[in-house]
Amino acid sequence: MILIKNGYVIDPESGFEDYADIIIEAGIIKKIGCVDEESEALDGENAFDNYEQVIDAKGMIVAPGLIDTHVHFRDPGFTYKEDIETGAKAAAAGGFTTVMCMANTKPVIDNVETLKYVLDKGKTTPINVYSAAAVSKGFKGEELTDFKSLKEAGAYVFTDDGIPLKDELLVKKAMEEAKKLDMPLSFHEENPAFIEQQGINKGVVSDKLGLGGAPALSEYIMVARDCMLALETGATICIQHISSEVSVELVRTAKRLGADVHAEATPQHFSLTEDVVLEKGTLARVNPPIRTEKDRQAIIAALADGTIDIIATDHAPHSREEKDKEFKAAPSGMIGLETSLALGVTKLVKTGRLTMKELLSKMTINPAKLYKMDKGYIKEGTAADIVIYAPDEKWIVGESFASKASNTPFIGQELYGKIKYTICKCGILRLLIKAWILISACAHPAHNQYTKSVRRNED
């Protein structure tokens, strides 16, 4: 058994927010409440000796394990960048117990065989690894995949993320099919007809660098289309990694009109502005690009009023050699799992724009509800997917990560919110300086032996 003592528990789903202790047995939350030593004592023994692990969470927040519904684990096909095992380690290091992989692998996840490969490999990791499936066969935007068989095989959403769907009739058909199956769709919104250079906002910085850029128009023209198609078809859709003020207003309007439209924001889009490209170069190259301060403030305001209901990382690992290329030749994307919560605490909570409960809702129960995952809450009798973190502890983003990759512009930044424990699948996952360890709470003898082994290796 595991005992979490003295923590401040926040559960956005139930609204519970108070100091409480939590007992976990065989991976299930057995009790939430006050656990005092006297009432738990047996035959005069020290009550806490009955637990394999006692975590003193004083000064820490205990919350549902974080959920990221937009990650790229590059497996199969690009495992030199990341694979499902290392992606899961990066997730656990960032407090995530559930992730959803995007379909832009090689081969594309447009068939049951590839989908099952991802899901089966995900089951071998210490976290919950789910997967999206492609909207179109081969990401070509010409023919729909077999939605029904992919849903039955375990897909949670259909998306051609990374590739915009240009055929509006195909998009409408996809929405109609997804609606029949009660499945959501999510969309990468960038019309390439208006883009001179991907990965950088068309504006002052792109002009200074002579790179052309990607204007906000390339995003919001497609956001408008898909919001109105969702209104017409009744489909459930999510606008991925929203980046511009106009796109935010379009989502707000669509919701007001009754469309079942959701939107996600990434930490980079609510934390940075286009100026970061001047300092960090290709590490700040992402699609859609990081835009202006006005756009950033619009995203934060939309997070505050609920227009944007999900925070997702778009965790996109690339090798150092790829990111060291000149801007036009380098791939877009940055890693984000290990800095996401801290950026939310630093940029949104510490600045007074969101409460901690509001931040957590966008990283737990909101994505869980949209994608129909039975996750995102803390409740007696349910799986113990939990993150424990110190909201006031400062730390500096280093150059090494649990991920295979290190392509992030946040290296060197001082942030609030240090992950202390990630609990999932009967285990406690912790990222230490020299060892990433899984302490099993299900196999006691192995637990003790493995813990000793890891401690020796640390020394």
Side-chain angles (χ1 to χ4, degrees):
M1 288 194 296
I2 299 169
L3 172 62
I4 303 170
K5 285 284 295 177
N6 306 317
Y8 190 72
V9 179
I10 300 179
D11 177 36
E13 198 274 337
S14 65
F16 181 85
E17 185 174 356
D18 205 348
Y19 290 96
D21 304 325
I22 297 177
I23 296 175
I24 300 168
E25 184 173 8
I28 302 298
I29 298 174
K30 181 180 178 181
K31 179 179 179 179
I32 303 171
C34 179
V35 179
D36 64 86
E37 195 167 353
E38 184 176 342
S39 66
E40 291 288 314
L42 297 174
D43 300 325
E45 297 178 355
N46 184 330
F48 294 162
D49 289 342
N50 298 318
Y51 298 95
E52 284 83 37
Q53 182 86 7
V54 178
I55 298 172
D56 185 359
K58 184 177 181 181
M60 303 178 198
I61 288 174
V62 181
L66 305 180
I67 298 173
D68 191 344
T69 51
H70 190 154
V71 303
H72 300 270
F73 282 177
R74 310 301 193 194
D75 193 353
F78 304 100
T79 53
Y80 68 93
K81 300 172 188 269
E82 189 82 284
D83 58 48
I84 290 171
E85 182 182 4
T86 59
K89 290 178 180 180
F96 291 91
T97 57
T98 301
V99 298
M100 185 158 64
C101 298
M102 293 293 99
N104 60 337
T105 51
K106 187 179 182 180
V108 170
I109 306 175
D110 60 1
N111 62 86
V112 169
E113 182 181 6
T114 307
L115 174 63
K116 285 187 173 179
Y117 165 85
V118 172
L119 296 177
D120 288 346
K121 194 169 181 182
K123 290 173 185 175
T124 68
T125 73
I127 67 166
N128 308 299
V129 177
Y130 301 145
S131 182
V135 172
S136 70
K137 292 182 179 180
F139 270 23
K140 294 179 179 179
E142 299 170 353
E143 183 181 356
L144 294 183
T145 58
D146 186 343
F147 281 16
K148 187 173 184 295
S149 66
L150 288 165
K151 177 185 178 180
E152 290 172 350
Y156 274 79
V157 62
F158 300 112
T159 177
D160 277 13
D161 173 57
I163 306 293
L165 288 162
K166 294 182 284 186
D167 186 339
E168 59 269 17
L169 294 179
L170 184 78
V171 172
K172 183 174 183 289
K173 183 180 179 183
M175 288 189 187
E176 291 167 344
E177 292 299 311
K179 172 70 174 175
K180 290 176 187 176
L181 295 170
D182 192 27
M183 286 280 284
L185 296 131
S186 62
F187 295 100
H188 181 115
E189 308 286 41
E190 283 192 293
N191 189 324
F194 301 98
I195 297 174
E196 298 176 52
Q197 172 60 56
Q198 285 189 318
I200 183 171
N201 182 54
K202 184 172 177 58
V204 175
V205 174
S206 66
D207 288 347
K208 182 180 291 188
L209 297 174
L211 288 173
L217 169 65
S218 64
E219 177 184 78
Y220 63 68
I221 196 170
M222 296 191 77
V223 172
R225 180 199 71 179
D226 292 340
C227 283
M228 292 304 98
L229 285 174
L231 180 64
E232 173 66 20
T233 61
T236 301
I237 72 166
C238 182
I239 307 299
Q240 296 178 330
H241 38 49
I242 200 163
S243 69
S244 74
E245 179 186 26
V246 175
S247 296
V248 166
E249 192 55 43
L250 288 167
V251 170
R252 186 177 285 118
T253 299
K255 287 189 172 192
R256 189 168 63 246
L257 290 172
D260 192 5
V261 175
H262 304 260
E264 64 179 41
T266 70
Q268 53 265 29
H269 286 111
F270 66 67
S271 299
L272 302 171
T273 65
E274 59 185 343
D275 295 334
V276 70
V277 176
L278 295 173
E279 179 185 358
K280 299 294 185 176
T282 61
L283 291 178
R285 176 178 166 158
V286 291
N287 298 336
I290 297 162
R291 302 196 190 274
T292 67
E293 176 65 10
K294 190 176 181 183
D295 293 309
R296 188 180 81 90
Q297 290 299 329
I299 289 168
I300 293 173
L303 285 164
D305 70 19
T307 298
I308 299 175
D309 37 13
I310 293 171
I311 291 173
T313 64
D314 191 13
H315 176 80
H318 293 293
S319 70
R320 188 179 300 275
E321 292 74 18
E322 289 170 322
K323 279 294 191 178
D324 280 345
K325 295 178 180 179
E326 64 171 338
F327 196 92
K328 289 184 177 181
S332 292
M334 67 176 67
I335 61 169
L337 285 164
E338 298 173 61
T339 53
S340 181
L341 179 64
L343 285 166
V345 172
T346 303
K347 304 295 185 178
L348 301 175
V349 177
K350 292 295 184 180
T351 59
R353 304 303 294 271
L354 293 182
T355 66
M356 192 68 75
K357 188 189 294 183
E358 288 170 338
L359 173 66
L360 288 170
S361 70
K362 297 174 191 302
M363 300 182 75
T364 58
I365 194 61
N366 287 2
K369 285 182 175 178
L370 173 59
Y371 295 106
K372 299 179 178 63
M373 300 172 175
D374 187 19
K375 301 290 179 185
Y377 54 84
I378 294 177
K379 184 179 180 181
E380 290 181 1
T382 64
D385 288 3
I386 291 173
V387 61
I388 304 173
Y389 63 98
D392 298 320
E393 183 175 335
K394 293 180 180 179
W395 62 286
I396 296 175
V397 181
E399 295 185 355
S400 62
F401 299 88
S403 169
K404 284 185 179 181
S406 59
N407 54 303
T408 171
F410 293 108
I411 290 172
Q413 283 205 21
E414 184 178 70
L415 302 175
Y416 286 96
K418 183 70 173 175
I419 304 293
K420 295 296 185 177
Y421 301 89
T422 300
I423 300 174
C424 186
K425 290 186 179 179
C426 305
I428 302 177
L429 295 83
R430 301 179 65 185
L431 185 68
L432 302 180
I433 293 174
K434 296 183 179 179
W436 181 86
I437 66 172
L438 168 63
I439 304 174
S440 172
C442 296
H444 302 170
H447 154 71
N448 294 331
Q449 183 178 5
Y450 186 65
T451 303
K452 291 175 183 176
S453 172
V454 169
R455 285 174 180 164
R456 284 197 299 270
N457 291 339
E458 268 193 277
D459 296 334

